């Protein structure tokens, strides 16, 4: 898998969500309970997604999570 690390920002309140996406999908903003609720409440247009890193394989992603890359 080629993965990316992304940041989703709620433009109404500045809250951030950091996540990973295994498919590098532009329309994917996150799947956690809080981000899903916020998107349902405010609409996707109130969120911005920024790719922090892309083209990571699973090994690189694990190293990144451990702070060793």
């Amino acid at each position: 898998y080629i993965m990316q690390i992304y940041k989703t920002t709620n433009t109404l309140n500045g809250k951030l969500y950091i996540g990973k996406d295994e498919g590098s999908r532009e329309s994917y903003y996150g799947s956690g309970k809080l981000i899903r609720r916020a998107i349902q409440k405010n609409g996707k247009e109130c969120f911005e997604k920024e790719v922090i890193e892309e083209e990571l394989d699973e090994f690189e992603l694990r190293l990144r999570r451990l702070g060793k890359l």
Side-chain angles (χ1 to χ4, degrees), residues 54-67:
E54 57 187 334
E55 298 188 16
L56 297 170
D57 62 31
E58 193 164 343
F59 179 72
E60 291 171 320
L61 184 64
R62 286 182 185 169
L63 289 177
R64 174 65 67 210
R65 291 179 75 190
L66 293 172

Side-chain angles (χ1 to χ4, degrees), residues 12-41:
L12 297 175
N13 60 21
K15 290 185 179 181
L16 303 175
Y17 177 87
I18 306 293
K20 67 175 177 133
D21 181 15
E22 296 176 355
S24 299
R25 300 165 286 178
E26 285 185 33
S27 63
Y28 183 75
Y29 285 73
S31 60
K33 183 167 48 173
L34 295 177
I35 190 76
R36 284 194 330 253
R37 283 183 183 169
I39 290 171
Q40 279 182 331
K41 178 182 175 184

